[in-house]
Amino acid sequence: MEKGERLAKRIARAGLCSRRDAELWIAAGRVAVNGKAVTTPAFNVTANDKVVVDGRPLAENAPTRLWLYHKPWGLVTTHKDPEDRPTVFAALPKDLPRVISVGRLDLNSEGLLLLTNDGALARRLELPATGWIRRYRVRVYGDITPAMLAEMKQGVTTGGIHYGSAEVRLDSTKGDNSWLTVALTEGKNREIRNIFEHFGCKVSRLLRLSYGPFQLGGLKRGEVKEVPSKVISALCLVPCI
């Protein structure tokens, strides 16, 4: 008998949302399989099962696609913002299919953001276990000391949250402002800002330069560039999901 795959994974692979969000949709009663409502994520489906989400049949899994996007400052990385602020997804070209982001960049951050039509892939690439380094160019107001940088490399606990090792290089200083390059693998919410605030410093600009093997390079603000399918295959992103 065919074992199939988890229902939440099927929904995520169809590009509707992340696997985590799909589990919440299922628990909320928004999903039916073969005409019957399913409310537990611990449910497997096969290729022959008919899945319906919010009354609409789930589309066949599209080939996994991945894009690089240069997120401008002032956009929220969400599909719908309760404060009605401009969002990344409303700013994307209209010819893009529905996509979700791999992680987020906050309102005041800019730079490289990965987008995909495959929720399961997004979830996998967000996990620290992937080991991909996120590299940032950061402008900081405050006194930067060697002891501070050494402590960041060991990991910092602040506000009840532990942040793992961050490799920080001081590039230049002019007055009270410094430019630094920061490399980390976790990418927790506001991680870099919170770490520097712990030392009494304030981040005034944050630009993501790279995410794993993908580079911002010469991508202009607001520009989107698709990653060739052969690159996705070479990195084993599809078979390993």
Side-chain angles (χ1 to χ4, degrees), residues 162-228:
H162 180 72
Y163 300 100
S165 175
E167 294 281 349
V168 185
R169 184 186 71 216
L170 177 61
D171 297 322
S172 64
T173 298
K174 186 176 181 180
D176 292 325
N177 287 288
S178 298
W179 279 103
L180 305 100
T181 299
V182 179
L184 45 82
T185 57
E186 283 189 315
K188 291 178 180 175
N189 185 39
R190 296 180 61 82
E191 179 167 354
I192 293 175
R193 297 181 190 279
N194 291 341
I195 290 173
F196 279 101
E197 285 177 7
H198 173 71
F199 293 98
C201 299
K202 183 176 178 60
V203 171
S204 57
R205 188 177 179 191
L206 192 153
L207 174 73
R208 184 190 280 161
L209 301 175
S210 64
Y211 194 111
F214 301 109
Q215 307 289 321
L216 180 65
L219 207 62
K220 298 177 182 178
R221 287 186 181 88
E223 187 176 357
V224 179
K225 180 181 179 182
E226 185 166 5
V227 176

Side-chain angles (χ1 to χ4, degrees), residues 25-92:
W25 290 9
I26 294 167
R30 297 172 59 180
V31 181
V33 178
N34 300 328
K36 295 182 179 180
V38 176
T39 57
T40 172
F43 191 94
N44 283 11
V45 292
T46 68
N48 296 322
D49 290 317
K50 296 182 179 179
V51 180
V52 173
V53 178
D54 292 335
R56 297 181 179 180
L58 193 66
E60 294 293 328
N61 291 340
T64 294
R65 299 171 69 185
L66 188 67
W67 291 264
L68 311 181
Y69 172 59
H70 187 157
K71 176 194 174 296
W73 180 93
L75 297 180
V76 184
T77 311
T78 184
H79 282 274
K80 188 175 182 180
D81 181 59
E83 299 178 36
D84 203 28
R85 293 171 295 183
T87 71
V88 163
F89 300 100
L92 293 174

Side-chain angles (χ1 to χ4, degrees), residues 28-159:
R30 297 172 59 180
V31 181
V33 178
N34 300 328
K36 295 182 179 180
V38 176
T39 57
T40 172
F43 191 94
N44 283 11
V45 292
T46 68
N48 296 322
D49 290 317
K50 296 182 179 179
V51 180
V52 173
V53 178
D54 292 335
R56 297 181 179 180
L58 193 66
E60 294 293 328
N61 291 340
T64 294
R65 299 171 69 185
L66 188 67
W67 291 264
L68 311 181
Y69 172 59
H70 187 157
K71 176 194 174 296
W73 180 93
L75 297 180
V76 184
T77 311
T78 184
H79 282 274
K80 188 175 182 180
D81 181 59
E83 299 178 36
D84 203 28
R85 293 171 295 183
T87 71
V88 163
F89 300 100
L92 293 174
K94 301 305 179 185
D95 59 345
L96 243 63
R98 188 188 188 284
V99 295
I100 58 177
S101 63
V102 177
R104 298 188 177 199
L105 286 174
D106 64 33
L107 177 72
N108 297 319
S109 299
E110 54 192 305
L112 182 63
L113 185 65
L114 300 184
L115 306 171
T116 179
N117 64 335
D118 189 326
L121 174 62
R123 177 61 179 155
R124 176 175 171 244
L125 297 187
E126 289 170 358
L127 296 173
T130 305
W132 279 7
I133 296 174
R134 288 88 150 160
R135 200 174 304 277
Y136 303 79
R137 179 88 164 141
V138 185
R139 184 174 64 196
V140 177
Y141 179 84
D143 187 26
I144 306 297
T145 67
M148 178 195 304
L149 303 188
E151 190 172 340
M152 290 181 182
K153 188 172 183 179
Q154 294 302 313
V156 172
T157 299
T158 179

